[in-house]
Amino acid sequence: MTSIGGAGMVDWNLAVATATRLVRPGPEVSKDEARAVVAELRRHAKASEEHVRAFTRMIPESHRPEDTPVLVVDRAGWVKANVAGFRELLKPLLDKMQERRSGGPTGAVLGAVGGKVTGVELGMLLSFLSSRVLGQYETFAPASRELPAGTNGGGRLLLVAPNIVHVERELEVDPHDFRLWVCLHEETHRTQFTGVPWLKDHLEGEIQSFLGETDVDPMTVLERLREAAQSLAGARPEGEDDDSGRSIVELVQTPAQREILSRLTAVMSLLEGHADFVMDGVGPDVVPSVAEIREKFQQRRARGASRLDLALRKLLGLDAKLRQYRDGERFVRAVVNEVGMDGFNRVWTSPNTLPTKAEIAKPADWVARVHRTADS
């Protein structure tokens, strides 16, 4: 990593070191309590497999999908896992940018910025996010001795123990119920990817297409960033559309990237909304205080932690993720009400049966396209 980080576009070692140094300390717990939390999360993750598979009916009882590990981590562990995932996913783009920097006259711009500055910036971003993520199914994670993953490119399920404890205390909810509730959501994501073999490759293909459309000319990127900054500051050039509802991530995209992002947004809305739907469907039978947890957690999602948190969510496009939960759950619920769970599960047949962004907003259009076409 030293040779790649020091001379490449991102100093990955420095990203980890920066995030680890800046990460906020977790809630105070004794060693015995910490061990008990870790053990309980592992038990709940295991129990959630049966609950989720029975409710979703995505995986036939006779089928044994590839097993993927459950890792209970602290905030620094989440950072290390995500740096490894970013490094794997971004490698083709960074290699292309490295070649451009080495051979073109604009290479001095990126050379001045340097991999170390980029590493620090990535580390700062990850330190911010590391205290907010409760769990994550890491789809593209490479396996390592410290962070094992499933065989044949399989993922791993991360549960961030200090964040779960922090939120359950903040919401003043039953900690045992809350931990199981979180595990149900994250286990749904694991079931989605282990039960739908083509989903990982499809998503990776879309992401690589998105990255492949990235302008590797630094001056073009800087100009687009300048325009984005003007738009966010309310100083867009006269006659241009108002982009105030879009994040800086969206504003620096090319038109081709926006088309790809539209498809990715639809898929992510489906995955997140399905997880919320399953969590609510299973919850009443196994989580006694699910109604209280759901209400308090929704309020927390909506208001954010502070003005700074709201501003950063807007800047990074994280507010769009909140819309994905809401819109996706509404889509899943409407389809299940119309055609039942087995009818909804046709969504997992192939990339062609995934909903479009427009269909997420109008579930009846998806039902008409997929069911009437298949049944005619």
Side-chain angles (χ1 to χ4, degrees):
M1 281 181 85
T2 303
S3 61
I4 294 175
M9 302 302 297
V10 181
D11 188 331
W12 299 107
N13 287 338
L14 188 56
V16 172
T18 300
T20 303
R21 186 173 67 253
L22 296 177
V23 71
R24 297 177 183 178
E28 290 188 11
V29 294
S30 68
K31 289 184 178 180
D32 288 343
E33 185 179 3
R35 282 194 289 266
V37 170
V38 170
E40 184 173 21
L41 286 172
R42 287 178 176 152
R43 288 197 306 272
H44 284 332
K46 183 63 178 176
S48 295
E49 284 187 44
E50 181 179 344
H51 296 315
V52 170
R53 292 178 186 180
F55 183 81
T56 63
R57 301 202 289 274
M58 289 178 63
I59 301 175
E61 291 184 11
S62 59
H63 178 60
R64 294 291 300 174
E66 179 186 356
D67 191 29
T68 53
V70 176
L71 306 181
V72 182
V73 297
D74 59 10
R75 291 169 178 173
W78 179 86
V79 166
K80 291 175 183 176
N82 275 266
V83 166
F86 280 140
R87 185 181 178 190
E88 182 80 6
L89 199 59
L90 295 177
K91 188 177 186 303
L93 173 63
L94 296 181
D95 286 348
K96 186 165 70 169
M97 294 182 75
Q98 179 69 42
E99 291 174 8
R100 185 66 173 264
R101 185 180 77 172
S102 301
T106 55
V109 177
L110 283 179
V113 174
K116 291 191 178 299
V117 173
T118 311
V120 169
E121 290 171 343
L122 177 59
M124 292 172 66
L125 171 62
L126 289 172
S127 72
F128 168 76
L129 295 174
S130 67
S131 62
R132 285 157 173 77
V133 177
L134 301 182
Q136 173 187 358
Y137 185 74
E138 249 199 324
T139 316
F140 309 110
S144 67
R145 184 175 61 182
E146 185 179 5
L147 295 164
T151 57
N152 301 319
R156 57 187 169 221
L157 182 61
L158 304 178
L159 297 169
V160 191
N163 295 349
I164 294 172
V165 172
H166 170 78
V167 174
E168 70 192 26
R169 290 179 178 178
E170 178 188 330
L171 298 182
E172 298 181 333
V173 293
D174 183 282
H176 309 294
D177 284 3
F178 184 74
R179 293 165 196 172
L180 176 55
W181 189 73
V182 170
C183 287
L184 289 171
H185 185 279
E186 302 308 329
E187 176 57 37
T188 302
H189 287 316
R190 181 161 66 159
T191 298
Q192 289 163 349
F193 283 94
T194 57
V196 185
W198 54 264
L199 185 58
K200 174 183 179 293
D201 289 341
H202 172 71
L203 265 183
E204 186 169 14
E206 290 280 60
I207 292 170
Q208 291 304 332
S209 295
F210 181 89
L211 295 176
E213 290 289 337
T214 300
D215 262 312
V216 293
D217 174 46
M219 296 309 295
T220 302
V221 174
L222 290 175
E223 177 64 18
R224 195 169 285 127
L225 284 169
R226 184 189 64 80
E227 292 172 359
Q230 286 181 340
S231 177
L232 289 172
R236 66 186 187 281
E238 186 177 356
E240 289 194 3
D241 293 336
D242 183 3
D243 285 316
S244 59
R246 292 158 57 191
S247 71
I248 195 169
V249 178
E250 295 171 293
L251 288 167
V252 298
Q253 291 159 8
T254 66
Q257 285 177 314
R258 289 184 187 129
E259 289 184 15
I260 298 169
L261 184 68
S262 177
R263 297 195 298 268
L264 280 169
T265 298
V267 176
M268 297 311 298
S269 295
L270 170 69
L271 299 180
E272 297 292 1
H274 183 237
D276 266 13
F277 177 79
V278 172
M279 187 168 57
D280 287 347
V282 175
D285 291 332
V286 298
V287 183
S289 60
V290 64
E292 177 192 4
I293 291 172
R294 182 67 158 153
E295 180 181 0
K296 289 183 175 181
F297 195 76
Q298 288 286 63
Q299 292 172 354
R300 184 180 186 273
R301 268 184 184 171
R303 68 174 179 264
S306 65
R307 287 187 177 182
L308 175 61
D309 187 66
L310 289 171
L312 286 169
R313 283 194 338 198
K314 174 64 182 174
L315 183 67
L316 299 171
L318 299 181
D319 53 343
K321 187 173 178 66
L322 300 182
R323 290 195 298 273
Q324 288 171 8
Y325 286 106
R326 183 187 65 238
D327 297 345
E329 194 274 342
R330 195 157 44 212
F331 169 83
V332 176
R333 186 172 300 280
V335 172
V336 171
N337 287 341
E338 179 70 20
V339 296
M341 183 64 76
D342 291 332
F344 165 78
N345 281 340
R346 287 192 186 180
V347 78
W348 312 116
T349 304
S350 75
N352 293 330
T353 56
L354 291 172
T356 65
K357 191 175 179 181
E359 288 170 341
I360 288 287
K362 294 183 177 181
D365 290 353
W366 180 86
V367 172
R369 176 173 68 87
V370 173
H371 280 265
R372 291 178 190 170
T373 299
D375 297 338
S376 60

